């Protein structure tokens, strides 16, 4: 059991990749630590179910309105940040450090440090690139990190490189990958029949799954365009629009309704039984149109022993060696994705070899004990 006393601070309480990662580290330190959420949501229940102490310091709407793409904070939201920071600073007196798990959480933690709170570690799960984060947003985040963070933990080297390119100090960085419990996957039977029957997918059809929130940069549209060229392929879309991307969801529904895809796209919404659903697929696609900070779903596909096809960019090449542990293709290219799918479905022997190597590597490299050891060193 870990001894350091950590006050974990998270602004969001939805279950995105960053929050799922937080669950593992907060669990490892559960005897000495606590989580503070700045919004209420499903993450609270998941933490409680794991026996982790959690408290919600709810922030007002003014903070929710500050978008990472603009970064412009109203005077009201600055006052709100200050109010939350004072509370976090006060609480942190009983802890050795504050671990901030997302950008808004980090801004609050940095101000808390300024107000005399415990040392701050920022766990950065995002690639700070211009297409997602405004210049102002990056400037504020990186300047606060350089001044107030004792460490910046990044989920991949690619995330670290983007931090430095935005002006962040190299010496602050430590890479800690996400961890996964392979036994959850190992315990599942390799039985694909039930879900396929429920969805009405004939036995002789291939099923390719995508497990991501519905968002343009996650690229579900690329998968649908690729599948429209392959009449034997059915698509399983798992995930929801976690951050209000209603327009994009509408666009996807329109593509799926086209004659060439009719009856072949299956929507499951947000699910918490990802390993079992992956086992029901023949392959997993990861189609991000912009560099992916890490790509949890790729490791999950590897542990489920399903071939993964992912787009090049960001952390994906730290998980997949092309042709050895999965396939890497350039982003935004439905034709290349369709070719990769055909390659996987036609050359079964090569695919099986790839799947076995990927499983053995992922099981060791991304095990919970291994990433917890990385985490412990990073915060030492
Ligand atoms: N996920 C989930 N339910 C869903 C869709 C996705 O639990 O319906 C999980 C998925 O298994 C993965 C995480 O959400 O662990 C997404 O992490 P990833 O790094 O792929 O992307 P992010 O959301 O962090 O950008």
């Amino acid at each position: 059991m870990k001894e350091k006393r950590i006050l974990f601070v998270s602004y969001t309480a939805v279950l995105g990749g960053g929050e799922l990662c937080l669950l593992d580290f907060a669990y490892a330190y559960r005897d000495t630590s606590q989580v503070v959420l700045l919004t209420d949501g499903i993450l609270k229940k998941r933490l409680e179910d794991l026996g982790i102490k959690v408290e919600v310091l709810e922030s007002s709407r003014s903070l929710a309105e500050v978008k990472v793409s603009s970064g412009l904070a109203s005077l009201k939201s600055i006052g709100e940040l200050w109010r939350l920071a004072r509370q976090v600073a006060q609480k942190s007196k009983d802890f050795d450090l504050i671990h901030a798990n997302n950008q808004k959480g980090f801004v609050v933690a940095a101000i808390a440090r300024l107000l005399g709170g415990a040392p701050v570690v920022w766990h950065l799960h995002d690639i700070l690139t211009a297409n997602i984060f405004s210049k102002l947003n990056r400037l504020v985040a990186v300047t606060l990190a350089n001044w107030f963070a004792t460490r910046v933990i990044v989920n991949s080297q690619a995330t670290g490189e983007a931090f430095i390119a935005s002006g962040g100090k190299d010496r602050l960085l430590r890479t800690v990958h996400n961890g996964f419990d392979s036994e959850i996957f190992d315990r599942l039977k390799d039985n694909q029949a039930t879900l396929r029957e429920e969805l009405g997918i004939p036995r002789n059809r291939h099923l390719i799954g995508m497990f991501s929130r519905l968002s343009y940069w996650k690229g579900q549209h690329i998968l649908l365009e690729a599948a429209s060229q392959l009449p034997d392929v059915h698509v399983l879309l798992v995930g929801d629009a976690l951050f209000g991307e209603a327009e994009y969801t509408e666009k996807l529904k329109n593509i799926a309704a086209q004659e060439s895809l009719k009856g072949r796209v299956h929507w499951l919404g947000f699910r918490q039984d990802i390993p079992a659903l992956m086992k029901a697929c023949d392959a997993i696609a990861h189609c991000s149109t912009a560099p992916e900070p890490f790509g949890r779903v790729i490791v999950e596909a590897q542990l489920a022993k399903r071939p993964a096809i992912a787009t090049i960019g960001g952390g994906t090449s730290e998980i997949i060696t092309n042709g050895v542990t999965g396939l890497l293709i350039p982003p935004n290219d439905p034709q290349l994705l369709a070719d990769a799918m055909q390659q996987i479905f036609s050359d079964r022997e090569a695919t099986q070899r790839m799947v076995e190597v990927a499983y053995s590597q992922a099981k060791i490299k991304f095990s919970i004990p291994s990433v917890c050891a990385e985490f412990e060193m990073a915060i030492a």
Side-chain angles (χ1 to χ4, degrees):
M1 195 46 59
K2 316 286 178 192
E3 281 170 6
K4 220 158 196 137
R5 298 168 308 156
I6 307 176
L7 184 65
F8 292 95
V9 176
S10 172
Y11 174 74
T12 50
V14 296
L15 285 182
E19 292 71 30
L20 290 167
C21 172
L22 172 68
L23 281 172
D24 291 325
F25 293 121
Y27 184 72
Y29 289 84
R30 66 191 177 285
D31 283 354
T32 51
S33 301
Q34 191 194 322
V35 179
V36 161
L37 300 177
L38 305 183
T39 49
D40 204 349
I42 187 172
L43 177 60
K44 177 167 181 268
K45 177 156 187 342
R46 283 289 292 268
L47 288 159
E48 285 169 347
D49 288 349
L50 289 169
I52 300 164
K53 286 188 261 340
V54 54
E55 183 183 349
V56 181
L57 301 181
E58 265 194 71
S59 49
S60 73
R61 272 184 60 183
S62 59
L63 210 50
E65 282 158 10
V66 181
K67 297 281 175 235
V68 290
S69 52
S70 75
L72 283 177
S74 65
L75 277 179
K76 230 161 90 197
S77 66
I78 291 173
E80 179 64 7
L81 286 170
W82 225 265
R83 180 184 71 79
L84 291 166
R86 263 204 308 272
Q87 293 184 61
V88 169
Q90 186 57 34
K91 282 197 159 300
S92 74
K93 297 209 180 329
D94 296 330
F95 296 88
D96 300 313
L97 61 94
I98 304 173
H99 170 282
N101 201 53
N102 28 50
Q103 274 213 33
K104 284 181 189 168
F106 171 60
V107 174
V108 169
I111 302 172
R113 178 70 177 147
L114 177 71
L115 299 174
V120 176
V121 172
W122 181 19
H123 201 143
L124 176 56
H125 298 276
D126 298 311
I127 291 201
L128 297 176
T129 50
N131 56 343
I132 297 182
F133 297 92
S134 73
K135 203 169 169 184
L136 178 63
N137 180 282
R138 282 178 288 151
L139 182 71
V140 170
V142 165
T143 307
L144 287 177
N146 289 344
W147 285 355
F148 296 111
T150 51
R151 277 279 175 280
V152 176
I153 294 178
V154 285
N155 54 0
S156 68
Q157 281 163 25
T159 300
E161 281 158 20
F163 174 75
I164 293 168
S166 298
K169 287 185 185 154
D170 191 1
R171 65 168 173 76
L172 292 175
L173 289 179
R174 296 290 182 279
T175 303
V176 178
H177 292 112
N178 282 214
F180 302 84
D181 181 358
S182 58
E183 280 177 21
I184 294 175
F185 294 83
D186 296 345
R187 276 198 295 269
L188 292 164
K189 287 207 190 81
D190 229 19
N191 176 9
Q192 303 192 2
T194 320
L195 181 78
R196 285 178 185 240
E197 271 164 26
E198 277 169 22
L199 297 173
I201 302 172
R203 278 180 187 275
N204 58 353
R205 297 288 191 269
H206 296 295
L207 180 61
I208 183 144
M210 189 161 166
F211 300 77
S212 283
R213 56 199 158 90
L214 305 179
S215 167
Y216 182 86
W217 82 269
K218 288 292 184 186
Q220 279 88 357
H221 59 289
I222 307 286
L223 176 59
L224 295 186
E225 284 164 31
S228 71
Q229 304 173 29
L230 306 173
D232 284 349
V233 171
H234 281 238
V235 176
L236 188 68
L237 289 182
V238 183
D240 207 348
L242 291 186
F243 301 107
E245 297 93 339
E247 227 174 89
Y248 182 63
T249 309
E250 201 50 41
K251 174 186 157 123
L252 289 177
K253 298 261 174 193
N254 287 338
I255 303 177
Q258 286 168 12
E259 198 51 45
S260 57
L261 280 169
K262 245 191 191 143
R264 294 200 283 125
V265 182
H266 309 274
W267 305 79
L268 295 190
F270 183 83
R271 296 279 293 243
Q272 297 202 52
D273 54 345
I274 301 301
L277 295 173
M278 283 190 169
K279 287 270 190 192
C281 296
D282 298 304
I284 314 293
H286 172 280
C287 306
S288 294
T289 57
E292 177 71 39
F294 179 69
R296 290 177 58 91
V297 288
I298 305 170
V299 182
E300 289 165 342
Q302 293 177 332
L303 293 175
K305 295 197 175 184
R306 292 295 176 268
I309 307 170
T311 49
I312 300 165
T316 57
S317 50
E318 293 166 44
I319 306 172
I320 289 183
T321 305
N322 188 31
V324 181
T325 51
L327 294 184
L328 284 174
I329 55 167
N332 293 305
D333 195 328
Q335 183 58 57
L336 285 182
L337 177 56
D339 294 347
M341 276 151 68
Q342 271 184 319
Q343 179 185 332
I344 274 186
F345 297 141
S346 57
D347 194 344
R348 282 175 178 273
E349 260 179 47
T351 299
Q352 195 48 37
R353 269 200 306 276
M354 208 162 64
V355 157
E356 294 298 337
V357 178
Y359 171 80
S360 323
Q361 284 191 7
K363 195 178 166 79
I364 296 167
K365 186 170 175 186
F366 302 112
S367 75
I368 300 277
S370 147
V371 299
C372 279
E374 288 175 1
F375 186 87
E376 201 165 357
M377 280 202 321
I379 61 169

